[in-house]
Amino acid sequence: MKTVVYPGSFDPVTNGHLDIINRASKIFDKVIVCVLNNSAKKSPLFSLDERVNMLKDVLADYDNVSVDSYNGLLVDFARENDINVIIRGLREVTDFDSELQMAQGNHMVSPEVDTLFMATDPKFSFISSSMVREFASYGKSVEGFVPELILNKIEDKYKSITGGCKNG
Ligand code: PNS
């Protein structure tokens, strides 16, 4: 049985992430979506638990996809769960430098772990969680960017932070 881990900060999960998960679920026997903290991104909008719960909600129909979280290094999560394949989506060439660096670093510290890259479907290549947060923070709808199921969670989050939207 071949298991792959799809790691990310998922703050929040987008339709681009979902597309990668969906396609990976057809290639691998099992996909574990692992929510981690990205030390380069300070103060996530959603807590680890909120991000995990949103993913669980939107992935509920998949028999071979599960959601987990880890407070530490991705390679340690992989080792503890006997996983030796990581999958990451590549949206555009600018993703490549940092992704390659991360893949090579992870392989250096854990040679049994390999990273595979999946090309993002061009219709999702402009979508990022940070773009979603930016639009939503100004009260714009992010319909089409994220799964329908979590639209209200994003709106509610900004209402709870700002009591409305940034400019309103
Ligand atoms: O969705 P992101 O923010 O691009 O995901 C990046 C993530 C969370 C996969 C990466 O930052 C990560 O693996 N964090 C866990 C800590 C770790 O293993 N760091 C070493 C690789 S830089």
Side-chain angles (χ1 to χ4, degrees):
M1 175 142 142
K2 201 69 211 163
T3 303
V4 68
V5 58
Y6 179 50
S9 38
F10 304 107
D11 187 33
V13 58
T14 67
N15 286 336
H17 295 132
L18 271 195
D19 176 60
I20 300 286
I21 296 167
N22 178 47
R23 288 155 63 201
S25 75
K26 293 174 186 160
I27 299 170
F28 291 91
D29 298 306
K30 188 158 191 238
V31 180
I32 300 182
V33 180
C34 185
V35 184
L36 294 133
N37 285 316
N38 182 339
S39 53
K41 299 175 182 169
K42 304 288 174 216
S43 320
L45 176 63
F46 291 96
S47 71
L48 209 60
D49 281 351
E50 286 173 321
R51 287 178 270 158
V52 167
N53 288 333
M54 283 189 283
L55 277 158
K56 282 187 173 165
D57 285 350
V58 299
L59 296 168
D61 290 341
Y62 288 87
D63 291 336
N64 65 338
V65 178
S66 61
V67 184
D68 209 338
S69 64
Y70 193 72
N71 200 0
L73 288 177
L74 171 58
V75 288
D76 288 336
F77 174 83
R79 186 178 30 80
E80 285 170 23
N81 290 277
D82 263 333
I83 301 169
N84 53 18
V85 188
I86 297 167
I87 193 163
R88 292 279 289 171
L90 283 183
R91 290 169 301 187
E92 49 182 2
V93 293
T94 48
D95 277 346
F96 187 71
D97 277 354
S98 56
E99 291 297 332
L100 183 64
Q101 199 178 26
M102 191 159 71
Q104 290 172 329
N106 282 338
H107 187 70
M108 182 84 168
V109 296
S110 282
E112 74 284 3
V113 176
D114 281 303
T115 300
L116 302 182
F117 296 116
M118 184 178 270
T120 298
D121 186 317
K123 68 174 180 272
F124 300 122
S125 60
F126 66 94
I127 300 178
S128 65
S129 297
S130 56
M131 181 188 268
V132 167
R133 295 194 302 271
E134 180 79 355
F135 279 132
S137 73
Y138 284 93
K140 290 281 179 238
S141 165
V142 285
E143 197 173 347
F145 290 67
V146 301
E148 295 274 324
L149 261 179
I150 66 161
L151 273 175
N152 62 342
K153 300 231 163 61
I154 297 171
E155 280 169 21
D156 291 350
K157 174 61 79 178
Y158 280 107
K159 279 183 196 147
S160 76
I161 294 172
T162 63
C165 59
K166 263 191 194 170
N167 58 355

